Amino acid sequence: MIVKGARVLDGSANAMMKGKGTEDDRPWQSYHTVYTTAKAGMELVDKEKVQRVVYEMSKGSKYFQNEERKEAFIKQKIDNLRIQCANLTQEDLAHYQKVADRRIVELEASRDLSRIWLHVDMDAFYAAVETLSNPTLKGKPMAVGSMSMLSTANYEARKFGVRAAMPGFIARKLCPELIFVPTDFKKYTYYSDLTRKVFGRYDPNFIAGSLDEAYLDITEVCRERNVKSEEIAQELRAGVYEETGLTCSAGVAPNRLLAKVCSDINKPNGQYVLPNDRMAVMTFVSSLPIRKIGGIGKVTEHILKGVFGINTCEQMLEKSSYICAFFSQSTADFFCSVGLGLGQTDSPQVRFRKSISSERTFSATKDEVLLHKKLEELAEMLSADMQKEGLSGRTLTLKLKTASFEVRTRAVTLQKYISSSEDILKHAKKLLQAELPISVRLIGLRVSQFNGDKCSAKSDPTQKTITNFITSGDVNRNCSSFPDVADHDFVSNAETDMSIDSRQTGQLDWRDPFDGNYLSDVDYQSCTVQKSDGVEEVSLSPLVLPYITGFRN
DNA sequence: TACCGAAGGACCC
DNA sequence: CACCAGGGTCCTTCGTCC
């Protein structure tokens, strides 16, 4: 009965896009890839056609089959969550509503509208650089990358539906005229450095997100020069153009998460300013699709949409009781803060790399001699990179991608720190040996647990333990289950700083256990145990129904 | 129970 | 002709040891 209900829901959720029973006559509509969602410069693309071509080119391949497998897995997860959702009682809901409301009040209290953040994003960076060094490319559809994968495409190519993360052979099908240019990181780094010189004029401590984007705290420049953020953005973009001949887009907002969203709005060669005003932020966020938020990708979008009907950031708040019921606290915090339009506003920290790796794809083989040779090459490449960076580490991870695209990792942690190719190879061989025989299309090696990055936990386990027990997870909240440049930190800055700081200095000043946050954390815990008089009440703690839980059965 | 290591994923560019 | 990268970050779960 309930299951049936869930199916009905399933149908209606997709009905908006699919109409009834299109599964058979238009199968491509259900094949979603990361690169089929609209991007800047793709408004006029015949999406239906692109979908169809991508599907036709992919159908039946090993890659495709693996995608189907993963898709099925997620679909099942969604179904399960739906059922659990339907089983929530009124009391449960009332309880979680209270939890959510309290949390939202706390998050709201942490809102900081005192800083002005600017996010710069170069327009089709790699492609633009290549065009700069080869002007004959101007006006022609071109993409940077290879037949197997594209890093980016210029705007002419995007008109055909060609875009980053799309395999080249599919792109060529969409646009037979497409010119392929191999990637040349040296070139991009050179231009990236030029842009960064400009960024430094406005915020010497800017955060470089990648070669082509950065976050600047322009609060001080605006104040000192008594100019509006809009003018700073304008001037900065002009400066970048002057220094490099490249265009970029900018977004200005009270925090980094929103600034990033804003820089995408008037791309390319444009900017958008979201004023430091609570109402403006709430209005902005109310209609904003969750997928625009950094950290919410294809899967999370599917789940939130499919299970709770959440499409916009505002709906994160409307459904906050469900969110608190089904997700871990850090994840729930992130989602709610998205609904409030909160994001990081603190000053940048120096972040240290935590791992170094290299991996290579080749045509699938199970030839052990060949595999061994690949492994040896990788060990040498990795070792060379490590020497260059002066790194040594004690955890070695072997990564394999099977001929059927399944990814496996196997790791060992050694007593001593290693960096020589001999050491790496020696242990890598053992890891590989244990997996043979196997047919793989990719091998990778990664070293982590570097010498010198004291893991904070070791220094003072006791203190952490206690704090952790009470605050349950705030310590790692650095980024809820969503990686990336730490955009979604919504909670007070001191906390985040800690987890990052402690890592680099090794000498931590654990933040005082006092800021020991929020009663609500206690609440989260207590609701697990709540009414444990009747022993079987293990039910609905958010900790019991975790987010990405494997549901093996 | 607390930690940590290992394995698997989601996401980003 | 050809059939989907590579370099990272972080989160979550699980098993084992104490």
Side-chain angles (χ1 to χ4, degrees):
Chain A
M1 189 64 175
I2 291 170
V3 177
K4 204 172 168 195
R7 290 246 170 83
V8 171
L9 274 175
D10 187 13
S12 62
N14 294 322
M16 313 181 293
M17 346 177 35
K18 293 209 297 192
K20 54 173 178 166
T22 49
E23 191 71 24
D24 297 327
D25 31 313
R26 295 187 199 155
W28 58 84
Q29 292 186 335
S30 56
Y31 180 54
H32 289 121
T33 61
V34 258
Y35 47 81
T36 41
T37 50
K39 256 270 180 191
M42 306 193 60
E43 297 74 19
L44 301 176
V45 177
D46 180 351
K47 287 194 66 188
E48 178 86 8
K49 185 194 159 198
V50 173
Q51 272 291 135
R52 203 176 60 239
V53 172
V54 169
Y55 175 79
E56 293 299 337
M57 295 293 289
S58 306
K59 183 178 53 179
S61 68
K62 286 282 198 300
Y63 175 82
F64 185 84
Q65 290 168 18
N66 189 250
E67 288 300 297
E68 285 185 317
R69 186 181 57 83
K70 292 194 292 187
E71 189 65 31
F73 193 79
I74 290 165
K75 194 153 270 166
Q76 205 187 120
K77 183 184 302 180
I78 289 177
D79 286 346
N80 286 351
L81 284 171
R82 271 212 196 99
I83 293 169
Q84 313 229 41
C85 220
N87 286 339
L88 284 179
T89 66
Q90 284 306 311
E91 298 87 73
D92 294 329
L93 281 175
H95 169 71
Y96 287 119
Q97 190 61 64
K98 259 191 244 165
V99 173
D101 288 346
R102 193 167 335 173
R103 203 67 197 109
I104 288 170
V105 167
E106 287 163 355
L107 290 168
E108 177 60 47
S110 75
R111 187 187 297 273
D112 174 11
L113 290 169
S114 69
R115 314 299 308 178
I116 304 172
W117 280 96
L118 182 151
H119 180 251
V120 222
D121 199 326
M122 301 301 295
D123 301 324
F125 186 53
Y126 297 175
V129 170
E130 293 299 344
T131 305
L132 218 48
S133 57
N134 178 4
T136 65
L137 293 170
K138 210 176 293 178
K140 300 174 189 163
M142 68 88 90
V144 175
S146 68
M147 249 354 158
S148 59
M149 187 54 62
L150 302 182
S151 290
T152 189
N154 66 9
Y155 282 81
E156 284 76 18
R158 292 185 194 191
K159 289 177 193 155
F160 294 85
V162 173
R163 54 162 292 185
M166 179 180 277
F169 70 91
I170 293 180
R172 194 193 42 187
K173 188 78 168 185
L174 288 169
C175 174
E177 304 295 291
L178 187 66
I179 299 170
F180 289 84
V181 178
T183 55
D184 179 355
F185 279 99
K186 282 213 176 60
K187 219 185 279 178
Y188 314 143
T189 305
Y190 172 79
Y191 281 95
S192 181
D193 287 342
L194 293 183
T195 67
R196 288 174 186 185
K197 266 180 207 142
V198 179
F199 302 160
R201 299 179 201 158
Y202 299 89
D203 176 8
N205 300 315
F206 72 88
I207 307 173
S210 61
L211 286 182
D212 79 320
E213 60 179 84
Y215 295 91
L216 286 69
D217 180 346
I218 57 170
T219 317
E220 303 310 327
V221 218
C222 287
R223 195 175 48 75
E224 282 164 16
R225 293 174 43 185
N226 192 29
V227 288
K228 288 196 282 190
S229 56
E230 182 190 337
E231 294 168 56
I232 295 293
Q234 204 64 249
E235 187 186 303
L236 177 143
R237 295 198 300 117
V240 168
Y241 185 76
E242 233 168 78
E243 296 294 323
T244 64
L246 301 167
T247 66
C248 62
S249 301
V252 176
N255 62 57
R256 294 205 290 276
L257 183 136
L258 291 177
K260 167 123 191 172
V261 174
C262 289
S263 69
D264 201 52
I265 293 179
N266 287 320
K267 193 162 244 314
N269 200 14
Q271 61 183 60
Y272 182 90
V273 176
L274 178 60
N276 285 38
D277 170 79
R278 185 176 178 280
M279 270 318 287
V281 169
M282 293 307 280
T283 305
F284 179 79
V285 142
S286 72
S287 59
L288 189 65
I290 53 173
R291 187 64 154 84
K292 295 282 183 189
I293 302 296
I296 297 185
K298 188 183 120 186
V299 173
T300 306
E301 179 189 33
H302 265 168
I303 292 176
L304 290 177
K305 196 173 286 185
V307 180
F308 311 106
I310 295 174
N311 292 288
T312 66
C313 296
E314 185 176 47
Q315 292 169 328
M316 293 281 206
L317 296 184
E318 291 165 8
K319 305 284 182 177
S320 56
S321 57
Y322 288 91
I323 284 177
C324 288
F326 285 95
F327 297 99
S328 71
Q329 190 194 359
S330 62
T331 303
D333 275 358
F334 172 55
F335 289 160
C336 288
S337 72
V338 162
L340 292 166
L342 302 177
Q344 294 245 115
T345 59
D346 61 320
S347 289
Q349 265 87 67
V350 189
R351 311 194 99 214
F352 287 88
R353 83 147 84 208
K354 299 190 171 63
S355 69
I356 185 167
S357 67
S358 54
E359 64 186 56
R360 285 297 175 270
T361 296
F362 41 84
S363 46
T365 178
K366 52 177 192 261
D367 180 339
E368 297 180 11
V369 178
L370 208 56
L371 291 179
H372 183 269
K373 204 175 139 225
K374 301 279 184 195
L375 199 63
E376 198 173 323
E377 290 167 6
L378 280 170
E380 270 154 26
M381 287 194 283
L382 181 55
S383 176
D385 289 349
M386 291 180 70
Q387 319 270 290
K388 219 178 301 167
E389 303 276 331
L391 294 169
S392 63
R394 51 188 285 262
T395 297
L396 177 69
T397 305
L398 170 74
K399 173 177 169 181
L400 301 174
K401 191 186 282 179
T402 68
S404 52
F405 285 86
E406 280 172 85
V407 176
R408 273 186 218 175
T409 57
R410 295 291 179 262
V412 274
T413 298
L414 296 333
Q415 291 302 333
K416 65 178 248 227
Y417 293 90
I418 61 170
S419 64
S420 73
S421 61
E422 292 78 20
D423 282 340
I424 293 173
L425 183 59
K426 183 174 74 180
H427 293 102
K429 266 198 237 175
K430 284 192 253 180
L431 291 172
L432 176 61
Q433 201 63 41
E435 303 302 313
L436 298 175
I438 186 174
S439 176
V440 298
R441 64 176 350 264
L442 170 148
I443 300 183
L445 287 176
R446 167 183 308 264
V447 172
S448 50
Q449 297 256 43
F450 294 138
N451 193 355
D453 67 8
K454 296 269 171 281
C455 189
S456 42
K458 286 183 184 158
S459 310
D460 194 346
T462 320
Q463 192 165 12
K464 176 174 184 179
T465 300
I466 294 166
T467 307
N468 206 22
F469 179 71
I470 298 172
T471 64
S472 165
D474 78 296
V475 173
N476 292 323
R477 123 160 53 242
N478 181 2
C479 94
S480 68
S481 78
F482 301 81
D484 140 6
V485 206
D487 260 328
H488 0 77
D489 201 18
F490 45 101
V491 191
S492 92
N493 310 325
E495 308 178 62
T496 334
D497 298 3
M498 170 213 68
S499 66
I500 292 170
D501 263 357
S502 51
R503 218 152 257 145
Q504 24 187 282
T505 53
Q507 238 7 278
L508 6 133
D509 56 41
W510 276 103
R511 87 169 166 295
D512 48 345
F514 266 85
D515 73 340
N517 313 341
Y518 327 120
L519 288 175
S520 81
D521 289 315
V522 178
D523 230 75
Y524 258 95
Q525 291 298 324
S526 66
C527 70
T528 320
V529 191
Q530 141 206 174
K531 356 180 191 170
S532 54
D533 33 316
V535 186
E536 6 183 272
E537 292 290 316
V538 197
S539 63
L540 291 158
S541 149
L543 306 175
V544 181
L545 298 172
Y547 174 34
I548 302 289
T549 193
F551 46 94
R552 300 210 63 84
N553 307 319

